[in-house]
Amino acid sequence: MTGPPAAGDGEGPGAAAARLTGRPVTGRKRRSGALTEVPPADGEVVMVKRGDGPGAVRAEAAGLRWLADTGTVRIPAVYGHDREWLVTGRVQAGRPNPRAAVRFGREPAALHAAGAPAFGAPPPGGPEEAYIGAAPMRNRPGAHWPGWYAEQRVLPYPRRAVDQGRLRGAEAAVVERLCERLPDLAGPAEPPARLHSDLWNGNVLWGADGHVWLIDPAAHGGHRENDLAVLHLFGCPHLDDVLAGYQERAPLADRWAERVGVHQLFPLLLHAVLFGRGYAEQALAGARAALGR
């Protein structure tokens, strides 16, 4: 079995796109530190992304394909990847609107219903040591969501935040106490859902075709309320319409809105480790609210 084409020393995004697609390119346009728009000479513009760490590109490519395989959500095509570079299709930007939002809400509902082998199960071909954004995220399967979520998603981060001085020991104990009570706070048991997992507004692209496209997943098996909690966390245009579409296709369990803070613990603590104390304070507020119920 042959692997992906080998990267050249000091290769840039244009050369990577040409090598991985087998098509000549005519230029490039930098979109961010890691993302470049590259127009081939004979076809559609592609996006070229440089990986953040070992295994990051492999994890993202596997996640994109795993989500796309369901036929439920719109995912840019993966044209090629190696250990350093990922080449995907480009989404032509459009404007958010209520009709697209309702339709979008139905799509993750169908994605979640496609399921996963276990909580924490990585996509086929994806590594156990994966990433969410630039941060490491372990995909180690577990049978029961409360214990798996506590051990694999929540508890690694307050310990790191304490070491960094962004969380006090007594505050970390609040998070640990919530994890102990998760079996009582998690709501009705549900089967593992197929998650995007990093479903914040920056990874939700409103296309010129009137549809919503998803990029940059941290895909794995998890609880479906997680994706909706992340949409709430950083805002999403027409969120009420998105939720209406979701509920129409796959109604959520009673009192799901009260559990949003529980599902936001992971992304908030992760952001505390990466970006600072303010996110730790948000996580603590959510944990205390959940414990106070």
Side-chain angles (χ1 to χ4, degrees), residues 49-145:
K49 183 178 180 181
R50 190 167 196 161
D52 293 313
V57 172
R58 176 184 162 202
E60 184 170 342
L64 288 167
R65 287 172 172 145
W66 194 46
L67 302 186
D69 284 348
T70 67
T72 60
V73 292
R74 284 169 170 77
I75 302 291
V78 176
Y79 291 126
H81 70 92
D82 58 21
R83 289 179 294 274
E84 185 177 9
W85 301 99
L86 173 68
V87 181
T88 66
R90 182 187 63 165
V91 177
Q92 291 275 11
R95 296 179 64 85
N97 65 81
R99 183 177 177 183
V102 172
R103 184 168 53 232
F104 168 50
R106 299 182 189 123
E107 292 168 354
L111 171 69
H112 295 159
F119 297 108
E128 179 179 300
E129 301 297 333
Y131 285 82
I132 180 165
M137 182 187 75
R138 177 169 293 164
N139 283 328
R140 181 172 293 171
H144 303 288
W145 185 79

Side-chain angles (χ1 to χ4, degrees), residues 186-249:
E190 296 203 4
R194 191 171 306 200
L195 298 188
H196 180 286
S197 184
D198 197 10
L199 199 62
W200 73 286
N201 188 48
N203 291 338
V204 175
L205 305 185
W206 301 78
D209 60 359
H211 293 282
V212 171
W213 295 72
L214 305 183
I215 61 171
D216 295 352
H220 63 275
H223 197 300
R224 64 190 181 124
E225 291 177 12
N226 172 267
D227 271 348
L228 301 181
V230 176
L231 273 179
H232 277 83
L233 182 57
F234 296 113
C236 176
H238 306 291
L239 182 56
D240 287 344
D241 294 308
V242 174
L243 293 173
Y246 191 101
Q247 293 273 39
E248 175 188 310
R249 177 65 64 88

Side-chain angles (χ1 to χ4, degrees), residues 13 30 32 34 39 43-44 49 54 62 74 101 115 119 141 164-165 177 189 208 220 234 236 238 248 274-275 279 293:
R30 182 65 60 87
S32 69
E44 68 173 296
K49 183 178 180 181
R74 284 169 170 77
F119 297 108
Q164 293 172 328
R177 188 157 62 251
H220 63 275
F234 296 113
C236 176
H238 306 291
E248 175 188 310
L274 292 176
F275 303 117
Y279 292 106
R293 292 208 304 270

